[in-house]
Amino acid sequence: MSLPVHPPAPQPPATGGPAEPASDSTATETRRGARSGAAGLLGAAVNGLMGFVLVVVITRGYGTEGSGVFFAAIGVVTVAAALCVLGAETGLIWSLPRRRLGPQGDAARMLPVALIPPLTTALVIATVGILAADPLARRLLDGAGVDGAALLRVSFAAVPVVVAMTLLFGVLRCVRPMRMYVAVQSVLLPTARPLLVGAAVLLAGGGLLAGMTGWVLPALLAAAVTLLLVVGPLGIGRGAGLRARRDEWRSFWRFSLPRAASAAIDSGAVWIGVLLTTVLAGAADAGIFGAVSRYILAGQLAMQGLRVAVSPQLSRLFGQDRPDAAAALHRQLTTWALVLSWPVYLLLAVFGAGFLELFGSGFAGGATAMTVLALAMLVNTGVGNVQSMLLMSGRSGLHLAATVAGLTVTVSLGLVLIPAHGATGAACAWAAGIVTENLIAVTCARIVVGQPLADMSMLRAALFTVGGVGAAAIVGVLVGGRGIVGLAVALAVLAVGCVGLLTLPRVRQGIRATMVQIRGGAPSVSPRPSKGR
């Protein structure tokens, strides 16, 4: 089921100024997207670094089997919370940019609409999970040598906290500057987790229960901080109404409910693989797959940073019936994501063994899984944030269809491949699901938007990236193999190449133009003559 592009939500009042020409308006939106995207990328860098540190703390502190159990517990929280959110986070990002903030606005009315059903569902799921922890632990964590029931009770108790945090993050993205969202979601939360989990490893004897508690507490802190940040702009406590009309409930949940399933699949894709591997191949293979997946997700953080930055802007553009500006913004940010993400995935594909050595000798068996998933992620980042294009245009039903197709492929192949091939089988299944979902999503997005989602600049960036990183990787393999030595050589060659590129006037000009966009000014490059066109 798909929805109209124009929802019945009230639109912001016009500014009253003269109308901008279409080309100038599109340029303004791309500059605005560049600024938001830069903030999102900065947050993604910090988030990725801290996420990597967290995985090192877990894998070094608990080993292959213990980390497999830890990742399984995180998977329970992540998948359950994603289900309980019911798609309301995306619903908020879709609806709030089309409403007015402040005491006289109508944005605050969406807060009860978006929060009450998910939090009620989360409390029910948490209660059921805590009561059923013993039989679940026997099935999921049997033979792991830990108090699985106690670990699952902590995990389920965390679900309402994570749901509240997720929904408040959605509000924060729409009502505050991007830097505030980055500070809480991309700095505070991921920095606190390795600190507290590491403290549990060092001070609490390395117990999994203490470590999981250290993983949960930062979510409670982040939720509290975010709540304080959003009440002011919404006008809560200063006269803003909180009682929504019946038609507002209907329009919000007509959009959000199809997103509920796809959001659960998106958020839980990696953890579904971890849980399947735990059940079908054992905790050790699950630990290897979990470590591999963290590298894969770290490479995706650039695209995620761009997505969280511009989704509210895309919603506003589609609400104003400006698909051309939305498509231009998509093309620009996809080029950024491609240039930033493809080098990571190409290096992961070639030097997977070297990356995994950082986690310990027991994780070397995940090199093949790393290569398979890294190649699949080239497709994921190459098509860009087409999922956001579908969602922010109101086509949550089409997005659901793409994610269900990807999940079906992942689970079906996983049931066949994981028992015989462990982590490698899980990686092959997930890779096939990734490619399936993205090919369907990009096809649907192109039809819905009615504008080109790729251009020659993206193709040139892709060819240049593959050529440059590929050459550096070949040198690294020839000199030092596919371990840490070869990786170090490849990185050194890339560093020298980047310095060399900075000597080219055209490259420096492009960097200057991008920085002007980020600072909010118009490009300083003089337009070329039209030659009679």
Side-chain angles (χ1 to χ4, degrees), residues 83-465:
L83 285 169
C84 293
V85 166
L86 302 178
E89 180 201 16
T90 307
L92 285 165
I93 298 167
W94 171 72
S95 62
L96 288 181
R98 310 176 186 215
R99 291 176 172 268
R100 300 182 304 276
L101 300 178
Q104 306 305 316
D106 55 0
R109 295 208 301 258
M110 302 312 297
L111 218 55
V113 176
L115 265 63
I116 291 174
L119 288 176
T120 302
T121 305
L123 289 171
V124 172
I125 293 296
T127 302
V128 172
I130 290 171
L131 294 176
D134 286 312
L136 283 174
R138 286 194 295 269
R139 182 69 183 114
L140 188 61
L141 304 176
D142 187 34
V146 299
D147 187 354
L151 192 63
L152 287 180
R153 288 190 188 98
V154 172
S155 301
F156 279 110
V159 170
V161 176
V162 175
V163 168
M165 178 190 71
T166 302
L167 294 172
L168 290 171
F169 279 167
V171 179
L172 184 62
R173 284 167 64 178
C174 299
V175 304
R176 286 284 193 177
M178 186 63 192
R179 62 181 180 274
M180 292 191 178
Y181 173 81
V182 168
V184 181
Q185 194 272 345
S186 300
V187 178
L188 174 64
L189 179 65
T191 301
R193 276 179 168 161
L195 290 175
L196 292 183
V197 174
V201 172
L202 295 175
L203 303 178
L208 283 168
L209 189 60
M212 190 63 192
T213 303
W215 185 87
V216 171
L217 287 177
L220 182 61
L221 174 62
V225 172
T226 305
L227 180 61
L228 293 175
L229 288 173
V230 302
V231 293
L234 290 174
I236 296 175
R238 296 185 293 121
L242 292 173
R243 184 173 182 178
R245 301 189 308 269
R246 186 173 300 179
D247 65 296
E248 291 175 318
W249 280 82
R250 283 198 301 267
S251 71
F252 182 90
W253 286 108
R254 193 166 61 241
F255 171 85
S256 298
L257 283 178
R259 174 59 177 154
S262 60
I265 296 168
D266 286 343
S267 301
V270 59
W271 302 113
I272 290 171
V274 170
L275 296 174
L276 280 176
T277 307
T278 302
V279 173
L280 299 176
D285 271 289
I288 293 172
F289 180 72
V292 169
S293 67
R294 295 313 300 173
Y295 272 119
I296 297 301
L297 293 178
Q300 197 181 14
L301 283 172
M303 193 166 73
Q304 290 176 341
L306 294 171
R307 176 166 60 240
V308 300
V310 302
S311 289
Q313 186 179 353
L314 288 174
S315 174
R316 179 172 51 79
L317 291 174
F318 281 119
Q320 296 170 353
D321 195 18
R322 298 172 60 193
D324 54 337
L329 180 60
H330 170 83
R331 291 191 296 269
Q332 178 190 43
L333 297 187
T334 300
T335 303
W336 284 23
L338 189 151
V339 171
L340 293 171
S341 298
W342 276 26
V344 176
Y345 287 123
L346 290 169
L347 291 174
L348 287 173
V350 177
F351 300 104
F355 282 102
L356 289 169
E357 285 180 34
L358 299 175
F359 292 152
S361 58
F363 293 88
T368 301
M370 181 87 85
T371 300
V372 170
L373 283 172
L375 293 176
M377 292 306 290
L378 294 178
V379 177
N380 183 62
T381 50
V383 301
N385 283 316
V386 289
Q387 290 86 352
S388 292
M389 295 290 281
L390 286 175
L391 289 169
M392 295 302 104
S393 66
R395 290 344 196 240
S396 55
L398 291 177
H399 182 263
L400 174 60
T403 53
V404 167
L407 177 66
T408 301
V409 171
T410 298
V411 174
S412 300
L413 288 180
L415 293 174
V416 175
L417 297 176
I418 292 174
H421 303 285
T424 301
C428 291
W430 189 23
I434 289 170
V435 173
T436 299
E437 176 184 343
N438 279 279
L439 292 180
I440 294 174
V442 72
T443 301
C444 293
R446 177 63 179 86
I447 294 171
V448 167
V449 177
Q451 299 286 330
L453 300 181
D455 56 17
M456 288 303 300
S457 65
M458 289 173 55
L459 178 60
R460 286 193 297 268
L463 293 175
F464 182 81
T465 302

